[in-house]
Amino acid sequence: EPEVTQTPSHQVTQMGQEVILRCVPISNHLYFYWYRQILGQKVEFLVSFYNNEISEKSEIFDDQFSVERPDGSNFTLKIRSTKLEDSAMYFCASSGGGYQETQYFGPGTRLLVL
Amino acid sequence: KQEVTQIPAALSVPEGENLVLNCSFTDSAIYNLQWFRQDPGKGLTSLLLIQSSQREQTSGRLNASLDKSSGRSTLYIAASQPGDSATYLCAASGYNFNKFYFGSGTKLNVKP
C-alpha cells in the first residue's frame, strides 16, 4: 500500500542552524502538508501546498520556514535558523485531488534543537 | 478558528468491551472530520474520514459518526482488543478544507 515517507527519522541540530526535513508523498497525490507536534501538545497545522504554491499557512509558519517541491517526488520543509522552541515531531501528509479526501501522514521526523 | 476537544483524555477498559470516544468542535462549517490512531513515538494512522455530507463511516470494528449541528463526532470501537491500545486523535477542518485542527486525543488502554 502506498505510504508517505520522511527522512531523517531523527535530527539533532544546534540553535541557529538550518535544517531541511524531507518527505516523499504518495505518488498520485496533489496536496501536501506539514504539521508539527511539540511533546505533550496537540498536532498543529503549519502549511499546505498545492500546484507548486502555498495554499494556506498558519501563524507559526513565519519567514524562518519555507517549503519546496524540488522535483516530482520530494516535498521539503526548511527551517532557516532553528530555535529551541522548534524542537518537535514534524509530520508530512498528502491527500488526493479532491477537497474531501483523506490526509495520509508520514512517520514523522523528530527534531531536537540544542 | 476551529477548536477541537476530546473527552475523555484517557480510558482504560477490559478486553472485549465496546467503547465510545468523543470529539467536539466549535465551527459547524467543516468539510471533513478525520479520526487517527497514534502509537507512542509514531506517526498518525488514518482510521476514518467523514465528509461533511455524511453522517457516519464504518471500517471493520470502527464506526464514526458526525453531527455537525451539535458539533460532535464519536468513534465507536466494538469488541476492543489489547492491540487497540493507542492514542486516538480527532481532526476537523474549518472553512478551509486544507487545514486540520486536532484535538488532544484520548489515550486508550485495553487490558487483556
Side-chain angles (χ1 to χ4, degrees):
Chain A
E1 184 172 321
E3 58 183 17
V4 177
T5 60
Q6 292 185 241
T7 54
S9 58
H10 294 79
Q11 177 135 11
V12 181
T13 190
Q14 295 292 323
M15 188 170 57
Q17 294 296 304
E18 175 183 287
V19 295
I20 297 176
L21 310 183
R22 292 182 167 79
C23 168
V24 179
I26 294 173
S27 63
N28 61 345
H29 282 184
L30 300 178
Y31 292 88
F32 315 112
Y33 314 86
W34 284 101
Y35 291 82
R36 78 174 186 188
Q37 186 177 32
I38 295 171
L39 191 62
Q41 298 187 20
K42 291 183 178 183
V43 176
E44 301 173 288
F45 171 84
L46 292 178
V47 66
S48 60
F49 192 85
Y50 170 72
N51 200 26
N52 283 318
E53 61 183 25
I54 291 173
S55 52
E56 178 81 16
K57 61 182 181 179
S58 72
E59 57 276 8
I60 303 168
F61 194 89
D62 60 22
D63 292 343
Q64 293 300 310
F65 292 89
S66 62
V67 289
E68 192 178 30
R69 188 154 162 83
D71 53 41
S73 60
N74 290 284
F75 180 51
T76 62
L77 174 69
K78 181 192 289 186
I79 310 175
R80 286 189 184 80
S81 178
T82 50
K83 304 171 188 170
L84 297 176
E85 55 265 36
D86 293 328
S87 295
M89 180 76 96
Y90 288 80
F91 293 110
C92 173
S94 69
S95 64
Y99 63 89
Q100 289 185 310
E101 296 203 21
T102 298
Q103 290 190 19
Y104 293 93
F105 279 64
T109 293
R110 184 167 296 283
L111 176 66
L112 178 60
V113 182
L114 301 176
Chain B
K1 179 185 171 183
Q2 183 75 278
E3 296 284 345
V4 180
T5 304
Q6 291 186 248
I7 295 173
L11 182 63
S12 184
V13 300
E15 182 177 3
E17 269 203 12
N18 303 324
L19 58 102
V20 175
L21 307 181
N22 296 293
C23 171
S24 60
F25 48 91
T26 54
D27 186 356
S28 61
I30 67 171
Y31 275 98
N32 305 310
L33 188 139
Q34 194 163 342
W35 283 91
F36 296 86
R37 168 187 173 135
Q38 185 174 31
D39 292 283
K42 303 290 186 182
L44 280 65
T45 301
S46 176
L47 298 173
L48 289 165
L49 172 78
I50 309 179
Q51 299 172 357
S52 58
S53 59
Q54 299 173 324
R55 296 297 299 270
E56 64 179 279
Q57 281 288 329
T58 298
S59 176
R61 294 183 294 108
L62 306 180
N63 176 277
S65 68
L66 175 64
D67 184 344
K68 289 197 305 178
S69 61
S70 66
R72 294 187 181 187
S73 176
T74 61
L75 179 67
Y76 174 83
I77 302 176
S80 58
Q81 303 170 358
D84 295 330
S85 298
T87 296
Y88 289 80
L89 299 175
C90 163
S93 69
Y95 70 93
N96 185 328
F97 67 91
N98 267 325
K99 187 175 179 178
F100 268 138
Y101 296 86
F102 279 79
S104 298
T106 294
K107 187 173 182 179
L108 174 65
N109 178 36
V110 181
K111 298 171 288 187

